[in-house]
Amino acid sequence: MYKELQGKTAVVTGGSKGIGTAIAKRFGAEGMNVVVNYYSDSQGAEEAVRIIEEAGGKGLAVQANVGQEAGVQKLLDAAVEKFGGLDVWVNNAGVENRSATTELSLDDWNRVITTNLTGVFLGAQAALRYFTENGKKGNIINMSSVHEQIPWPGFAHYAASKGGVKLFTETIAMEYAKQNIRVNNIGPGAINTPINAEKFADPVQYEETAGMVPMHRIGDPAEVAAAAAWLASDESSYVTGITLFVDGGMTLYPAFQDGKG
């Protein structure tokens, strides 16, 4: 669909499953080179590479901890050494777990913040350094969430991380706009990923969640990947510093949908 993406190189963190794999697949279909990052799921990453190459692109699986500078540098080096450069960096890796705030351990807080927020900072910083040092019109896409806007009791650490990603994205988008480096967020809503598969297989839980979505359905990872491809393309060349919600309207206060209130 986007001919200008053919032959360009992207890093996708957390690419071994779910939304990350869907983005990697879509980039492959655009003829891109994709570095698929994984932390522990090597099998999933290799499967993502296979999907990329079947779709028409080139792939490389690289293990790295995105919460550490050395891990992020490893991903950048792999992109440059294998494919000759970097054009798009997608900060997709993320974790979550439910806990009442009074019971939330410091270890769990740090684990979520390190991956979801520090990992975004480190990935964006590495990409920005590469783009500025090489005079490139680079592109950074951060994976946020509807919970950068919607409070989520039981997930204070997750919501805090995504709220941080929102303002971090807006800030660096402004900071580097003059260098023609674009930085945007994608904010998925309820998406049918492996982490949610068991929940959404239960008709009661599916309906409960779908009831919070004006379109009354759960999204597909490919729909998020389509947003990523658009943000990576020249079609969005005048777009920076936004959160593109892919949420079926979840952020539109659906309790008021029928004129209630």
Side-chain angles (χ1 to χ4, degrees):
M1 183 179 294
Y2 304 114
K3 293 181 179 179
E4 70 276 10
L5 293 180
Q6 189 167 1
K8 288 190 174 181
T9 298
V11 169
V12 179
T13 70
S16 62
K17 59 177 66 70
I19 290 172
T21 295
I23 292 172
K25 178 182 179 181
R26 177 57 188 266
F27 283 179
E30 298 290 348
M32 296 179 70
N33 310 310
V34 188
V35 175
V36 178
N37 160 246
Y38 70 97
Y39 179 64
S40 59
D41 185 8
S42 59
Q43 184 174 352
E46 292 296 344
E47 176 64 12
V49 168
R50 184 189 67 78
I51 290 170
I52 290 164
E53 295 184 343
E54 280 190 353
K58 296 179 181 178
L60 175 68
V62 178
Q63 192 283 331
N65 182 346
V66 298
Q68 297 178 353
E69 288 180 290
V72 169
Q73 188 62 46
K74 182 179 178 183
L75 295 174
L76 177 58
D77 290 345
V80 173
E81 291 169 11
K82 177 70 173 180
F83 300 120
L86 176 72
D87 301 285
V88 181
W89 187 290
V90 181
N91 284 308
N92 170 75
V95 294
E96 66 179 58
N97 70 293
R98 179 185 293 274
S99 176
T101 304
T102 51
E103 305 300 321
L104 179 59
S105 70
L106 181 58
D107 283 346
D108 274 350
W109 171 273
N110 286 335
R111 182 174 67 91
V112 169
I113 296 297
T114 296
T115 300
N116 296 10
L117 182 55
T118 304
V120 169
F121 157 65
L122 291 174
Q125 184 184 60
L128 287 168
R129 284 174 174 165
Y130 179 83
F131 295 149
T132 55
E133 288 169 4
N134 291 278
K136 296 198 70 170
K137 296 180 180 180
N139 198 315
I140 298 170
I141 301 169
N142 297 326
M143 197 58 59
S144 185
S145 165
V146 293
H147 297 295
E148 71 170 45
Q149 180 170 311
I150 302 173
W152 199 14
F155 295 85
H157 47 343
Y158 182 84
S161 72
K162 297 304 183 180
V165 167
K166 174 184 182 292
L167 274 174
F168 175 69
T169 297
E170 292 171 353
T171 298
I172 64 172
M174 182 179 288
E175 188 174 350
Y176 291 93
K178 288 182 180 179
Q179 285 98 315
N180 288 307
I181 298 169
R182 298 193 295 114
V183 190
N184 292 290
N185 275 344
I186 296 175
I191 307 296
N192 196 6
T193 59
I195 196 172
N196 295 320
E198 184 176 346
K199 174 183 177 180
F200 292 148
D202 178 354
V204 174
Q205 292 192 71
Y206 182 97
E207 282 300 315
E208 182 182 68
T209 304
M212 295 186 285
V213 181
M215 292 182 73
H216 203 80
R217 69 175 177 86
I218 305 304
D220 188 273
E223 294 174 298
V224 182
W230 180 73
L231 286 173
S233 78
D234 290 346
E235 291 286 313
S236 62
S237 60
Y238 202 50
V239 177
T240 194
I242 70 159
T243 296
L244 176 56
F245 289 109
V246 184
D247 67 349
M250 184 180 274
T251 50
L252 299 177
Y253 302 95
F256 292 87
Q257 187 171 16
D258 297 319
K260 298 176 183 177

